[in-house]
Amino acid sequence: MDKEKLLLLDGNSLTYRSFFALNVNNFTSHEGIPTNAIYGLKRVLDSIVKDLKPTKMLAAFDASDRTFRTELYSDYKGNRSKTPDELSAQFPYVHEMLKLMGITSYELQDYEADDIIGTLAKKANEQGIEVVIVTGDRDLTQLINDHTTVYITQKGFSNYETYNPDHLKEKLGITPKQVIDMKALTGDTSDNYPGVQGVGEKTALKLLGQYPNIEELYQHLGDLKPSKMKENLIRDQKQAFQSKELATIRTDAPIQISIEDTEIKPSNIEGLNSFFEKLDMKSLIIKTSNDENLKEKDVPAYQVLSLENISALKELKEPLIYFETFNSNYHEAEIKAMIIAERGKIFVTKDFSLLTSEILAGFEHIWTFDGKKTFILANRHQLSLPKISYDLMIASYVDDSGHSNESLATTIDDYFDEFILSDETVYGKGVKISLPENDQILYDHLAKKAEGYFLSKDIVDAHLKMHEQVELLKQIELPLSMVLAKMELEGIKLNKSELKRMGKEFDSNIHELKSKIFAEVGQEFNLNSPQQLADILFNVMKLPPSKKTKRGYSTSVEVLEELRPHSQVVDWILDYRQLSKLKSTYVDGLQKFDFGNGIIHTRFLQTMTSTGRLSSVDPNLQNIPARGMGKIIRKAFTARQNDWQLFSSDYSQIELRVLAHISGDPHMIKAFEDDRDIHQATAEKIYHLEPGAEITPDMRRVAKATNFGIVYGISDYGLAKNIGVTRKEAAAFINTYFEEYPLVKVFMDNSVKFAREEGYVETLSHRRRYLPDIHAKNFNLRHFAERTAMNTPIQGSAADIIKIAMVSIQNYLADQNLKSRMILQVHDELTFEVAPGEEEIIGSIVPKLMDSAIKLKVPLKVESHFGETWYDVH
DNA sequence: GATGTCACG
DNA sequence: ACGTACGTGACATCC
């Protein structure tokens, strides 16, 4: 049997928190019963039980506002405003729900929920039972020990901060018992007791670093130098001791309940379902296997396609064609089901073989959701599609680049809440994903998808028209999707023997480094584990740590670079890291995508990024090493026939050119018109040098970092960290930069202002990114949104430009019947396989079409190279 | 599934 | 005082 685990919930704290986290207006039953706290608590409970798998459980509540603490100190919690009626009304339901779930709840006159928890935790510990306490209240951390953990709820319903003695020590540097002394000194504003005036968390922690508790502190008060703080401590001594008593959670409350009573009982599913039904919390209704819950609501009329009714497809002129797959990688996926539909004429089937070339030839155009996927799946089955005139996935992305377009169902969900069941509900997930046993459930779901498609399209189209985005969809993104389809199908040749050879070499180096490191350190450990490595570096070797992560000390490159002078082991670790990255991600990783002929086919995701860039997956061919020793990996990428070559063209400084254009800054424009090295030109400006003056490599480095910083939505903090100067110095660079490029400053300010007023920013091609966080109260979120407002128009416009170039290049290749083909895009670079005899035309037309993709106030510059491998074209 | 790390533009 | 540079994806570890 599993080990016993008792979960103690602070029912009051969790219910309050749920109430304030969810807007009650959105959670009220048709009878007018507020349900936000009930709903939130259920979500929290489900997630806790799933994560912690307790065997016993108890939810503790406050019996009333009056407790032994109010007897002790009449103002205790005296500043609390009255519990809102909407919340009070929910407590009876909360208790009912807990009972139905088989969870014991308990309250005790004169005591708070905390005291019940403290008492039970102690009892359980005495019986050797592990205890987990879940609450929103940090005070409970005084109860932790080696067998008791406290989970403090964070944002959302399933995030917790886990407190055990180590974590507490690390975070605050104190023991669980000292939590009480800290409250004694600082007081508690929400519980309304004072502590010592002028002592906050910082001071309290400092004092508790010197004395184990306040008793000791007051005994040795004479040792303290005279100060305001000392006066406060003396004056408020009585308050401090009283606060300590108030803050102490009782572990001896006279509870009438035993550990045995907390055993989790089987939940009453029928009872729960009718409870949720009554409160209109339909989404919580528990699904049983052969069930009503898989029923789509308001399914439109449809027909199941078969040989009998297939001729009905002849009436369709411009239908939606949709293939359902479980595997998102359509280069391998099987088609599980299919929709062919126009408004009011919906056909669905599991039998993909019903689709023939003859049928497809009867359609003038088709609509799709992910036309690239549809095209490639059809291609794999020797079918060619009619021209795609509309794609909802892409249109929805153009409407709002933040939309989740991972499936048709989620896109529909972006426009219509609770219109359609999720794919996960219908098909399941993970290893158990499958078509529902009952065909009707599948067909209903597909019919809903078809209907949802048409309804969503109407909304999207209205938006695109209103926002002047039709051209972006029709002239850029839609044609681009077919360009990408061809690139993906083409693939790129991998020289496997070369890759294997490199793998062997890496391996022997890895082994050698490993033994050297272990020998030097004096023990073996898992070098790939940041945690174990941190233990070796900072505990065993006593090197000075500099950066922290959630789990401990960081061992990232920047930390290790600082440590290099201390020990040669650090050098070896850095080398080991680099080599094992190359081996696992590139040498081994890439070979997994070779299915025999040495050609690998990535997928370019066209609706993934919020800026408009593409991304690449399975494998990612946009992050193949380009610098350092790793770039030899590129020698494994070649043309597929001996007499063909690779050719690559990349935009030089496209983002800064875009910035010069959008801002209209005359000095930056002049620098590009004169074809200056932009970083040199910037160095001259920020260091106030004569044009053309000699600059040091360091000046150029700083200027380059500042240029990058500007593009990313500069902050003095970020720039300082990057170039290793003080924040002040970084701020001075930025200031000078803005003086020298004044319109860049205007652009930055205007972008943020625009985002605040309009709620979004846009690129040259009217691609939008909405930035709701621009109004956030949270400093981080708001500032992040502000940097995004500055960066997205730049990064996104550069993405627009290369997309335009790609479409015109592909059109040219097709028009001229050239054999050469475009195979890769890496944000500012295009790579081609060039057929013998086409070198000249490709070498001139590609840079020309890239140059002229768009007319800016500055020239675009393109650099190009031929070579045998990807390594050679740079 | 989240986290840390590191590869790219 | 707060505490980050913008945009991605893959791998290994750990919970």
Side-chain angles (χ1 to χ4, degrees), chain A residues 108-132:
Chain A
L108 179 63
Q109 219 37 251
D110 293 332
Y111 289 85
E112 293 184 54
D114 291 1
D115 304 306
I116 299 171
I117 290 174
T119 307
L120 275 168
K122 190 173 171 212
K123 279 195 184 184
N125 281 167
E126 285 164 4
Q127 298 181 23
I129 296 173
E130 189 192 340
V131 174
V132 179

Side-chain angles (χ1 to χ4, degrees), chain A residues 701-737:
Chain A
R701 181 184 68 87
V702 169
K704 185 174 173 181
T706 312
N707 276 327
F708 271 97
I710 292 287
V711 168
Y712 294 153
I714 197 101
S715 77
D716 48 10
Y717 187 93
L719 181 64
K721 210 170 90 177
N722 193 286
I723 60 178
V725 298
T726 65
R727 224 169 103 175
K728 264 214 166 113
E729 289 167 309
F733 282 129
I734 295 167
N735 254 333
T736 318
Y737 191 103

